[in-house]
Amino acid sequence: MRPAHALIDLDAFRRNYHLARALAGGKALAVIKADAYGHGAVACAQALADEADGFAVACIEEALTLRTAGIRSPILLLEGFFDEDELPLIAEHDLWCVVQAMWQVRAIENAILPRPLRIWLKLDTGMHRLGLSSREGRAAYLRLSASAQVSSLVMMSHFARGDELDCPRTEEQASTFTQITSDLFGETSLCNSAALLGWPGIRADWGRPGLMLYGVLPFQTRLPAAIELEPVMTLESKIIATRELGEGEPIGYSARFVTDRPTRVGVVAIGYADGYPQFAGNGAPVAIDGKPGRLIGRVSMDMLTVDLTDHPQAGLGSRVELWGKQISVAELAAHCHTSAYELLCGVKRVPLIHRG
Ligand SMILES: *Cc1c(COP(=O)(O)O)cnc(C)c1O
C-alpha cells in the first residue's frame, strides 16, 4: 500500500476540546465543518459525542452526514439555510439553525414545521460578511420571539480580527454586541478559537472553537504553559527512492533546486494531490525519522524530495512527517504564505487513520 496517510489522534482531539470548553467558561460547540477541518467529521463527532455540548457545521449536508452516522447531539448550521425548502428537514432532524438575513425570518414565519426551531440569530458587529445590522437584528429578534415556529433564540456574532492580539477591533465588536443585546433575553455566543485563546475578557454562554480543537494556534504569540494544545493530525509518508548527486545538479520539475554541494536526495511518496502545498518551496520543514530536515525542489503531484545529506541513517522506508506532532502545520503555513486552516482542509486522497 502507498505509505502516505494522515494519523488522527482522537485522544488529543478530546483533550483539546476540554481545554477549549474550560476556556469558554460555559458551553462549547465543537466546530467540525469541512469534514472537521480535514480530520474526518464523523470520527471526530463520535469521539466527542458523549462529551461535547454540541457540534457546528456549515450546512445541512454536513449535518445530515452526522445524523446518518448516529450522532444525536445538537448540531448548529453556521450558515443557516440557503433555501426555505430546507426548513422542514432542519426541524425533522432537530438541527439548530443560524438566521443571518431578513428573508430567512420571513421564511420561518411562513413555514409549516413538525416542531419549532432553535434559532441562532447572527448579528453583524463589524465582520461585514453574514449577519443582521443592529436595527434588523432587533426587529428579527422580536418577530422570531413571537413566532410559533421558534422555540428559543441564541444571539451570536463573529470576530474578524480575533487573531490580531494588539488590534482594538475585537473589543469594539464585543461591545457593539453587548449594546445590541443587553435588553434582549436569551443565550449568547461570540468566541472562536482566537477569541477563546487571545481575549480572556470576552466571553458569552457558548464558545465556538474550531481550529484549536485540532491543536493549532490561530496566532504566533506564545501562550501560558497551561494552555497546551496537542496537534491532532500527523501527515506522513515514507522515502521510496534515494540518489546521490554531485554539486550543480538540478532536482525535479523546473529545476527549482540545484545542488550546492554533493547531495543525497530522498523521494517521498506524497505530493500536492494529497494536499501538500505545491509551492512550499526549498527549505520547508519536514521531520525525517524524527529529525528536523528540509524539503528541496518543487513538489510534484504524487511525490516530493527531501535533503538526506545530513541524515546518513535515513534511507528507503524512512518515515517523513510533513506536519503533525513535530512539524507545526502553522509554521509550515507561514513558510508557504497560507494558513493552517487551508492546509488542514486541503488534505485529500490519503487515508485518514483514526486512533484513540
Ligand atoms: C468556522 C467558524 C468558527 C470556528 O472558528 P475557528 O477560528 O476555527 O475557531 C466559529 N464560528 C463561526 C461562525 C465559524 O464560521
Side-chain angles (χ1 to χ4, degrees):
M1 228 170 80
R2 187 166 181 254
H5 55 238
L7 289 177
I8 310 295
D9 179 349
L10 294 172
D11 294 322
F13 180 65
R14 269 190 295 267
R15 286 191 287 268
N16 292 339
Y17 174 78
H18 288 299
L19 203 136
R21 193 205 212 185
L23 279 177
K27 294 174 281 190
L29 291 181
V31 180
I32 55 170
K33 60 190 176 191
D35 203 24
Y37 295 42
H39 293 65
V42 166
C44 287
Q46 283 166 342
L48 273 188
D50 296 336
E51 295 153 73
D53 301 308
F55 297 103
V57 295
C59 56
I60 193 167
E61 290 85 351
E62 292 182 343
L64 294 183
T65 302
L66 298 177
R67 284 282 183 260
T68 306
I71 301 297
R72 311 255 41 95
S73 322
I75 302 174
L76 174 66
L77 307 178
L78 287 169
E79 285 177 27
F81 54 97
F82 304 88
D83 190 297
E84 61 196 27
D85 297 359
E86 294 169 42
L87 285 171
L89 264 181
I90 289 171
E92 180 190 332
H93 291 278
D94 210 1
L95 304 173
W96 296 354
C97 185
V98 162
V99 162
Q100 49 87 10
M102 291 310 277
W103 70 265
Q104 296 176 320
V105 174
R106 208 168 318 117
I108 290 171
E109 287 171 331
N110 295 335
I112 297 164
L113 302 176
R115 63 160 82 92
L117 299 170
R118 179 159 164 88
I119 295 298
W120 289 50
L121 190 60
K122 185 153 184 176
L123 302 170
D124 178 10
T125 56
M127 171 92 173
H128 299 332
R129 193 179 56 181
L130 291 186
L132 300 163
S133 68
S134 139
R135 191 179 43 80
E136 287 175 327
R138 294 181 65 89
Y141 178 92
L142 294 175
R143 282 168 58 181
L144 291 171
S145 308
S147 166
Q149 318 299 340
V150 177
S151 60
S152 63
L153 280 166
V154 179
M155 289 155 285
M156 69 178 286
S157 194
H158 193 49
F159 295 126
R161 302 178 68 179
D163 58 341
E164 297 171 62
L165 300 183
D166 48 10
C167 171
R169 192 68 177 158
T170 300
E171 276 169 338
E172 287 165 16
Q173 281 197 258
S175 79
T176 302
F177 183 80
T178 309
Q179 278 163 29
I180 304 174
T181 59
S182 57
D183 60 342
L184 303 180
F185 175 80
E187 290 187 315
T188 54
S189 176
L190 284 173
C191 297
N192 60 355
S193 301
L196 289 174
L197 290 162
W199 298 92
I202 299 175
R203 288 298 178 259
D205 296 305
W206 289 86
R208 303 187 311 270
L211 189 69
M212 67 177 294
L213 302 180
Y214 309 100
V216 182
L217 285 180
F219 39 68
Q220 306 212 319
T221 316
R222 284 203 169 277
L223 287 168
I227 305 179
E228 212 168 278
L229 296 173
E230 299 170 60
V232 174
M233 179 192 292
T234 301
L235 183 67
E236 60 180 16
S237 188
K238 285 185 172 165
I239 292 178
I240 57 167
T242 63
R243 64 195 354 82
E244 310 265 356
L245 296 174
E247 195 184 319
E249 294 291 336
I251 298 173
Y253 287 119
S254 315
R256 278 296 176 90
F257 184 83
V258 178
T259 57
D260 52 4
R261 57 174 179 175
T263 298
R264 192 161 158 260
V265 181
V267 180
V268 186
I270 197 158
Y272 63 80
D274 305 295
Y276 191 86
Q278 180 175 16
F279 299 104
N282 294 314
V286 299
I288 302 167
D289 280 337
K291 296 195 197 73
R294 62 172 188 149
L295 182 131
I296 50 177
R298 186 158 122 183
V299 174
S300 307
M301 189 180 286
D302 315 307
M303 284 174 271
L304 53 79
T305 38
V306 297
D307 188 349
L308 293 183
T309 316
D310 301 325
H311 296 260
Q313 322 299 341
L316 275 187
S318 283
R319 182 182 156 268
V320 177
E321 176 181 308
L322 291 314
W323 63 69
K325 306 273 183 199
Q326 276 183 280
I327 303 297
S328 143
V329 68
E331 257 165 59
L332 176 65
H335 180 94
C336 311
H337 309 289
T338 180
S339 69
Y341 295 89
E342 188 175 16
L343 292 184
L344 293 172
C345 293
V347 169
K348 50 191 191 272
R349 184 166 72 179
V350 297
L352 302 181
I353 302 175
H354 293 94
R355 297 217 172 121

